[in-house]
Amino acid sequence: MRIGIDLGGTKIEVIALANDGREHFRKRVDTPRHDYPKTLEAIAGLVADAEQATGERGSVGIGIPGTISPYTGKVKNANSVWLNGQTLDKDLASLINRQVRVANDANCLAVSEATDGAGVGKKTVFAVIIGTGCGAGIAINGEVHAGGNGIGGEWGHNPLPWLDDDEVRFQRDVPCYCGKKGCIETFISGTGFAHDYFRLSGIQHKGVEIMQLAEQGDPVAELALSRYEIRLAKSLAHVINILDPDVVVLGGGMSNVERLYSTVPLILKQWVFGGECETPVRKAIHGDSSGVRGAAWLWPQVLV
């Protein structure tokens, strides 16, 4: 049995999977925010719940909104800031008496979709989370590609390429929390989409509300969405020019915008070097469950 943990900022989810990917157990609890010891206890409690419910012992993988530094062995880049600077894998391993594998949550999405999702059968999967924030992960042959610095796939904090005049103004007006300007996250996260609509209309709306307006023919919402599509395509073209993945998989709230899967592949051709691009852009099959499933799949073999 494989046990996966999705450690989010507001909730922690556990899943127990059989060898064939069937789900045997799932549970969520609130995250003890800003309390590292209680966060560890909550995770250990979920592992115990999964094993008690199934009567089996499992390997444990965890997806986090950050990464483990290969240099210090401590968590870095986590927006759940109380995790930063902690030896999460070692601390949890001592609590549950086994080795623990930890990966960035977007890398877990990539592994999940490469294993039995939208990227199955593909060698190189680039998986994108476009929700409140924006991130990405890479799976090669079904395994995480974290890179030498542990930040492989950290796409959202690269600058949006090929800026037009309005995008130059946008990057000036909407700085990124990381301290830099022009990050892809500020443009194509759900938050960025809402920011752009506000800049066009002067009205605050959530992304889902803007989409409803676009479907009703609202011209400002349609303009915001068409600009979003171009920016997403440019951002993905940048990746295709470097990595040339076999498939791009979208997850997160904005991945539910169905028209992206017809418009973005066409726009990509304008920005990919040489003008040739047939890279499929697909919606994550497992949706919100991809992160926790991918955490379970961090172990290719079950512990005995």
Side-chain angles (χ1 to χ4, degrees), residues 256-278:
N256 295 316
V257 180
E258 293 298 331
R259 66 182 253 182
L260 296 179
Y261 303 99
S262 57
T263 56
V264 171
L266 295 176
I267 301 169
L268 273 172
K269 296 177 188 290
Q270 302 174 35
W271 303 103
V272 171
F273 184 58
E276 294 181 329
C277 182
E278 300 299 332

Side-chain angles (χ1 to χ4, degrees), residues 128 130 228 250-258 260-261 282-284:
V128 172
I130 36 177
Y228 179 89
L250 305 184
M254 291 299 293
S255 73
N256 295 316
V257 180
E258 293 298 331
L260 296 179
Y261 303 99
R282 299 174 179 169
K283 185 177 181 179

Side-chain angles (χ1 to χ4, degrees), residues 224-290:
L225 181 55
S226 64
R227 288 169 24 145
Y228 179 89
E229 291 168 332
I230 292 170
R231 292 164 181 173
L232 176 57
K234 289 197 293 187
S235 301
L236 292 175
H238 213 188
V239 174
I240 292 168
N241 284 343
I242 297 169
L243 182 64
D244 204 5
D246 297 306
V247 62
V248 173
V249 179
L250 305 184
M254 291 299 293
S255 73
N256 295 316
V257 180
E258 293 298 331
R259 66 182 253 182
L260 296 179
Y261 303 99
S262 57
T263 56
V264 171
L266 295 176
I267 301 169
L268 273 172
K269 296 177 188 290
Q270 302 174 35
W271 303 103
V272 171
F273 184 58
E276 294 181 329
C277 182
E278 300 299 332
T279 306
V281 180
R282 299 174 179 169
K283 185 177 181 179
I285 285 179
H286 296 298
D288 290 343
S289 296
S290 270

Side-chain angles (χ1 to χ4, degrees), residues 34 44 54 59 61 65 78 90 97 99 117 132 149 154 158 163-164 173 179 181 186 190 214 221 254 274 300:
H34 304 289
T54 60
S59 58
K90 294 181 176 62
N97 298 312
Q99 185 182 356
T132 304
N149 297 301
E154 196 56 77
N158 290 288
L163 298 175
D164 63 24
D173 297 340
K181 294 184 177 181
T186 64
M254 291 299 293

Side-chain angles (χ1 to χ4, degrees), residues 5 7-8 12 14 29-49 60 62 64 68 75 82-98 100 102:
I5 301 286
L7 174 52
I12 307 173
V14 64
V29 298
D30 292 337
T31 301
R33 292 178 58 79
H34 304 289
D35 192 325
Y36 180 66
K38 287 187 177 179
T39 298
L40 290 176
E41 292 173 9
I43 296 170
L46 287 172
V47 171
D49 290 344
V60 176
I62 304 178
I64 65 171
I68 300 287
V75 176
W82 64 97
L83 303 177
N84 288 324
Q86 304 290 349
T87 53
L88 176 66
D89 52 346
K90 294 181 176 62
D91 294 340
L92 186 60
S94 68
L95 273 181
I96 63 174
N97 298 312
R98 78 201 76 170
V100 173
V102 178

Side-chain angles (χ1 to χ4, degrees), residues 5-208:
I5 301 286
D6 183 11
L7 174 52
T10 59
K11 57 87 180 171
I12 307 173
E13 184 173 14
V14 64
I15 196 170
L17 299 180
N19 283 334
D20 60 4
R22 285 180 298 134
E23 178 183 323
H24 284 325
F25 179 79
R26 182 192 294 259
K27 183 179 179 180
R28 287 185 177 187
V29 298
D30 292 337
T31 301
R33 292 178 58 79
H34 304 289
D35 192 325
Y36 180 66
K38 287 187 177 179
T39 298
L40 290 176
E41 292 173 9
I43 296 170
L46 287 172
V47 171
D49 290 344
E51 294 185 332
Q52 182 176 7
T54 60
E56 298 182 49
R57 179 179 170 87
S59 58
V60 176
I62 304 178
I64 65 171
T67 190
I68 300 287
S69 167
Y71 307 112
T72 67
K74 297 178 180 179
V75 176
K76 66 176 181 178
N77 300 341
N79 54 19
S80 298
V81 294
W82 64 97
L83 303 177
N84 288 324
Q86 304 290 349
T87 53
L88 176 66
D89 52 346
K90 294 181 176 62
D91 294 340
L92 186 60
S94 68
L95 273 181
I96 63 174
N97 298 312
R98 78 201 76 170
Q99 185 182 356
V100 173
R101 291 186 177 178
V102 178
N104 176 264
D105 49 9
N107 281 327
C108 290
L109 167 65
V111 168
S112 173
E113 294 297 322
T115 300
D116 60 358
V120 67
K122 301 294 187 181
K123 178 180 178 180
T124 305
V125 176
F126 187 75
V128 172
I129 297 175
I130 36 177
T132 304
C134 169
I138 302 168
I140 299 177
N141 293 324
E143 297 184 2
V144 169
H145 175 71
N149 297 301
I151 55 171
E154 196 56 77
W155 168 69
H157 293 284
N158 290 288
L160 184 76
W162 306 296
L163 298 175
D164 63 24
D165 290 341
D166 185 73
E167 289 160 353
V168 171
R169 291 189 291 270
F170 187 105
Q171 72 170 352
R172 181 194 63 214
D173 297 340
V174 187
C176 186
Y177 76 89
C178 75
K180 296 182 174 62
K181 294 184 177 181
C183 289
I184 287 170
E185 174 164 320
T186 64
F187 288 94
I188 67 161
S189 62
T191 306
F193 178 50
H195 272 315
D196 197 41
Y197 178 81
F198 175 75
R199 291 173 71 249
L200 291 168
S201 68
I203 301 171
Q204 293 276 9
H205 275 312
K206 296 179 180 179
V208 65

